[in-house]
Amino acid sequence: MIKEAAQPVQVVLVFDNARSFGKQFKHLEALLDPLQKALHPHGTWKHLKGYSAPNLLGVASDNTHVTIQRFDKPMPLNGFANILSNPLITNLRPDVAKALLKHKCALLIEVGPGSVPGFTQAFAAAGFDDAMATAMDGLLGGVTTRDSYEERLLIAQAVGCALIDQMMPGAVHWGQSHQAFDGATFKRLASDGFNLLLYVGAYPYDAKQLENGNVQLGLRGLGSQALIGKMVMCAPDTKDWVENYQIMLAFIAYCRSMGRLLGDNETFGADGPDAPVYEVQHNSDIPELPDGYILLKRRCDEAPKPVALKTMTSSENNLRAAMRGKRNKLPRDIRNRPSIGAQSVGAKAQVARGAARVYKLGRLALGMAVLYFVLTQIQIPESLLPDSIVASSARP
């Protein structure tokens, strides 16, 4: 995780009007004043004069650096691979996908740990043990602390919004969660401080059409591992994916609120007699996810309804604070893995460990999902299926 945290947070703004872009961003040093204003809430920043050029601008605080690079020609499309392969973007927001594919110029924002660009990344790539990381953490820019990483996310948001104020881009690529937005939507999300909608991207997998005509797909929460140490996924089912996305956000907020990850066989869900319930599984069968992942599997409607166990519930105020980034009980040091399973909460909870548990979420997570729904103007379905499936379903 330290190697991942050592990498800069990247934001790319793409533009299709090369002439206006060239005039607006002819010399990036002209952005120094608006950049300093945007960064003021995040400390004192100095201009990295030796790192500046007409197409490059750098500033740094004691433990963080920000660089902006101008590209006067299209950036390589392989950098947008996760975006252009995501049907939730290509089918539901074709304007955003087109802006990425057809852009003529771009700005790359990087926010990294340490006051010297590239130093911490090179040090992490060379490898270092915990003792060395602890001894040098100040020089490395707090790369071992979760709070420092999340502060860099907020800084990247502030810089992105400041550049949008200079010229509206055709699209914004938020690299941390492999998401893309139009400029106005990104600014709405990024101006809101800590925002799970920005930090967790929905990416469908295993989409297929069943014999009864229903569409079944799973959902990956890209970027969720940066928030709780493991990626969160929803197992394939036929329910509305927006509801599964909502549950993933609520699950992340719940874990941060309680300071632990739910363990195998625990369940999670919203309040209400007809609310869906999700079983929690910890898996490690994906080589690309060496820390494993958490699978939320919707309990089928025919299964017995679980008994609510309030011993482990978190208050709505705590959940709301976790949603807003104001409450996080997980270990601050990213080298310390969050605990899994029940903490010492009494014999009743221990006996009921294998039983179903439902946690109150109130209307909070639903509101988050509805906001995402509105911002992306989603109207789903069969466009999410692979072309071959859509073609076959259209045959008489």
Side-chain angles (χ1 to χ4, degrees):
M1 179 61 187
I2 289 182
K3 286 187 177 181
E4 288 79 4
Q7 300 305 309
V9 178
Q10 293 186 329
V11 189
V12 179
L13 282 64
V14 301
F15 303 83
D16 61 2
N17 190 325
R19 185 175 182 180
S20 296
F21 177 85
K23 289 181 178 180
Q24 183 63 40
F25 301 114
K26 186 175 182 180
H27 295 286
L28 290 188
E29 282 194 10
L31 297 174
L32 196 56
D33 285 343
L35 183 60
Q36 290 278 15
K37 183 178 180 181
L39 291 173
H40 180 71
H42 301 281
T44 302
W45 300 77
K46 61 182 179 181
H47 180 199
L48 296 175
K49 295 182 180 179
Y51 194 75
S52 291
N55 68 332
L56 192 64
L57 176 65
V59 297
S61 66
D62 289 340
N63 58 9
T64 308
H65 65 269
V66 176
T67 62
I68 302 172
Q69 185 173 359
R70 188 187 73 219
F71 288 81
D72 296 321
K73 60 182 181 180
M75 297 185 72
L77 290 180
N78 58 6
F80 306 125
N82 281 324
I83 302 296
L84 298 176
S85 64
N86 187 344
L88 293 179
I89 295 173
T90 58
N91 289 325
L92 304 177
R93 291 306 308 266
D95 56 323
V96 171
K98 182 179 179 180
L100 293 173
L101 284 168
K102 302 295 184 181
H103 77 278
K104 294 181 173 62
C105 37
L107 294 174
L108 168 64
I109 303 165
E110 293 193 316
V111 181
S115 58
V116 180
F119 175 78
T120 301
Q121 296 95 290
F123 197 76
F128 52 88
D129 57 26
D130 284 357
M132 189 180 298
T134 299
M136 298 186 64
D137 202 36
L139 181 62
L140 298 175
V143 73
T144 64
T145 59
R146 199 177 304 275
D147 289 346
S148 295
Y149 175 78
E150 293 181 8
E151 177 71 8
R152 292 194 290 277
L153 294 177
L154 296 175
I155 291 171
Q157 292 168 228
V159 176
C161 290
L163 294 184
I164 287 175
D165 286 339
Q166 302 300 308
M167 182 175 176
M168 182 63 71
V172 179
H173 176 205
W174 177 259
Q176 176 265 331
S177 59
H178 303 287
Q179 295 194 83
F181 310 90
D182 64 80
T185 297
F186 175 80
K187 188 171 182 182
R188 285 184 64 185
L189 293 174
S191 299
D192 202 28
F194 184 95
N195 197 327
L196 289 179
L197 292 170
L198 190 60
Y199 306 149
V200 182
Y203 193 103
Y205 70 97
D206 285 355
K208 63 180 179 180
Q209 189 165 30
L210 304 180
E211 291 183 358
N212 61 7
N214 289 332
V215 175
Q216 175 181 283
L217 59 83
L219 209 62
R220 294 187 178 98
L222 302 186
S224 53
Q225 61 271 43
L227 302 176
I228 64 173
K230 289 189 176 187
M231 180 179 285
V232 181
M233 300 169 59
C234 280
D237 65 37
T238 58
K239 303 298 183 180
D240 189 342
W241 73 268
V242 176
E243 189 174 325
N244 285 340
Y245 179 69
Q246 163 201 333
I247 283 291
M248 286 199 300
L249 297 182
F251 178 86
I252 292 166
Y254 178 83
C255 292
R256 288 168 63 93
S257 173
M258 294 297 292
R260 74 174 185 91
L261 306 180
L262 274 68
D264 284 324
N265 301 320
E266 290 191 86
T267 60
F268 183 80
D271 232 4
D274 298 321
V277 174
Y278 292 75
E279 299 175 355
V280 177
Q281 298 177 4
H282 286 257
N283 297 331
S284 56
D285 54 356
I286 299 179
E288 294 76 17
L289 299 174
D291 294 323
Y293 62 95
I294 298 171
L295 186 69
L296 304 180
K297 187 174 183 179
R298 188 188 293 252
R299 184 185 288 268
C300 65
D301 295 336
E302 294 76 21
K305 294 295 181 182
V307 178
L309 183 64
K310 295 185 178 180
T311 309
M312 298 294 292
T313 59
S314 183
S315 72
E316 185 168 332
N317 287 339
N318 286 345
L319 284 169
R320 191 176 298 278
M323 282 281 190
R324 303 298 301 163
K326 299 183 181 300
R327 178 183 172 87
N328 181 15
K329 305 296 288 185
L330 296 177
R332 290 295 189 265
D333 191 322
I334 62 176
R335 295 168 296 179
N336 298 330
R337 295 182 182 277
S339 60
I340 299 175
Q343 294 176 331
S344 180
V345 294
K348 180 178 179 181
Q350 296 298 327
V351 171
R353 173 164 168 68
R357 299 174 183 173
V358 179
Y359 300 96
K360 287 189 175 182
L361 304 179
R363 294 179 296 277
L364 160 92
L366 179 60
M368 294 287 284
V370 169
L371 176 61
Y372 184 87
F373 188 96
V374 172
L375 288 177
T376 54
Q377 302 174 14
I378 290 169
Q379 293 180 351
I380 293 242
E382 65 177 31
S383 59
L384 290 182
L385 293 173
D387 292 341
S388 59
I389 296 179
V390 173
S392 64
S393 66
R395 296 191 192 105

